[in-house]
Amino acid sequence: MRTNLKISGLNFDITWKDKERNFHNIEQQFQDRSADLLMLPEMFSTGFYMNAAEIADRNEETLKWMKSFAARRNSAVCGSASVFDDGSFLNRFYFVKPDGSYQFYDKRHLFTYSGEDQSYSKGKERVIVEYKGWRILLQVCYDLRFPVFSRNNDDYDAVIYVANWPETRIDAWTTLLKARAIENQSYVFGLNRIGTDGNNLNYPESSYCFFADGSIISETENHFVSAEFNSDELKKYRGRFQFLDDRDSFEIF
């Protein structure tokens, strides 16, 4: 495992339903910034829009852009997009490496309050990616409210959440991110969008990275939130407080 992993997330004000504009804006924002992993919010190319048929990628538009961007920046890039695949609409979280290889996680818990379950199909698999020796669990927004699904079975080192989580429920977002870090003794990086979307929902700057003890380790500057994972610190903390050894055994699927 590489000892340090630098991550930079963009607190992005997404332009409503305009993929090309969002791709351009992201490239401009990241022009002078580098990291091992560049993070983008949930549905960063369109905003969290429930008419999937209108916005969904049908020719891997977002994935193709992410591959190009990752190669040009020599960094991994992650974020979710609305896609149409094999007859279903999905909220798909891509993790793209600089060499063009990628994995994806389809959002498991759909936000019924907004009707996401009426437009999108739920994912069926829990996905952990390996990058530079780090094992990273991929999660999207509403997944945060379901701790069983993200329970650490000693199979990951960090969790990353990408979201469109509005101001009206922002306390829950912050509290649950911290709880996931503590209960799973893992780094937890939650990246939320900012600004106002096409539904007139407001999103304050609320992106954070927590260490395994619940302390905030991220720094925010110019709409970027950055953090650095350190494997030695994580190993030392887990070795001192071996709470995961006492976890309950169960199977999700």
Side-chain angles (χ1 to χ4, degrees):
M1 176 191 290
R2 180 171 170 175
T3 302
N4 296 324
L5 190 72
K6 295 182 179 180
I7 302 172
S8 186
L10 179 60
N11 286 326
F12 188 42
D13 188 358
I14 303 168
T15 301
W16 196 241
K17 300 189 292 183
D18 191 337
K19 296 176 188 178
E20 292 303 320
R21 172 58 62 182
N22 288 317
F23 296 157
H24 173 77
N25 288 344
I26 292 166
E27 292 183 10
Q28 291 297 111
Q29 292 275 8
F30 275 110
Q31 198 166 29
D32 299 317
R33 183 169 291 267
S34 62
D36 298 304
L37 173 60
L38 309 179
M39 285 182 64
L40 301 167
E42 179 184 22
M43 290 197 188
F44 68 87
S45 58
T46 60
F48 189 68
Y49 185 59
M50 293 302 94
N51 187 349
E54 183 178 342
I55 63 166
D57 289 353
R58 296 174 186 269
N59 296 297
E60 298 186 335
E61 300 97 307
T62 301
L63 177 60
K64 290 174 182 176
W65 174 82
M66 292 178 76
K67 286 183 176 182
S68 173
F69 187 54
R72 284 182 279 125
R73 300 310 309 237
N74 193 30
S75 301
V77 179
C78 69
S80 95
S82 173
V83 303
F84 182 74
D85 185 28
D86 196 26
S88 297
F89 293 104
L90 301 155
N91 187 345
R92 178 162 289 176
F93 187 0
Y94 288 114
F95 190 106
V96 181
K97 299 178 182 180
D99 64 1
S101 62
Y102 70 96
Q103 289 175 258
F104 63 83
Y105 159 67
D106 293 330
K107 185 177 181 182
R108 171 74 175 175
H109 298 95
L110 302 178
F111 193 44
T112 55
Y113 185 78
S114 70
E116 187 178 15
D117 60 316
Q118 301 300 311
S119 297
Y120 293 88
S121 297
K122 66 168 56 179
K124 299 178 181 178
E125 297 182 4
R126 187 172 182 265
V127 177
I128 296 171
V129 302
E130 184 172 317
Y131 179 56
K132 295 184 181 292
W134 285 83
R135 302 168 302 169
I136 303 172
L137 176 68
L138 306 184
Q139 299 276 273
V140 179
C141 203
Y142 193 43
D143 288 328
L144 181 60
R145 289 186 179 270
F146 302 92
V148 173
F149 188 61
S150 64
R151 186 60 172 146
N152 190 353
N153 292 310
D154 199 25
D155 53 359
Y156 67 75
D157 311 297
V159 191
I160 52 178
Y161 288 89
V162 295
N164 276 215
W165 198 294
E167 185 175 24
T168 51
R169 296 181 294 278
I170 208 65
D171 285 348
W173 161 256
T174 307
T175 301
L176 293 175
L177 285 173
K178 183 175 182 177
R180 297 295 88 84
I182 293 170
E183 70 194 12
N184 293 304
Q185 291 194 289
S186 301
Y187 285 98
V188 171
F189 200 127
L191 182 70
N192 199 14
R193 68 157 293 172
I194 61 170
T196 303
D197 68 15
N199 296 314
N200 291 318
L201 292 174
N202 295 316
Y203 301 84
E205 284 198 356
S206 52
S207 297
Y208 306 98
C209 184
F210 292 90
F211 182 58
D213 62 359
S215 59
I216 296 176
I217 64 165
S218 52
E219 297 181 353
T220 302
E221 181 183 7
N222 296 330
H223 299 316
F224 282 96
V225 56
S226 301
E228 188 167 338
F229 296 170
N230 183 289
S231 61
D232 291 339
E233 290 181 3
L234 183 62
K235 183 177 180 180
K236 181 179 178 180
Y237 182 78
R238 286 178 170 179
R240 183 181 177 188
F241 302 106
Q242 299 179 25
F243 303 140
L244 286 177
D245 292 345
D246 299 324
R247 66 187 180 276
D248 296 310
S249 297
F250 60 88
E251 294 183 3
I252 298 174
F253 299 109

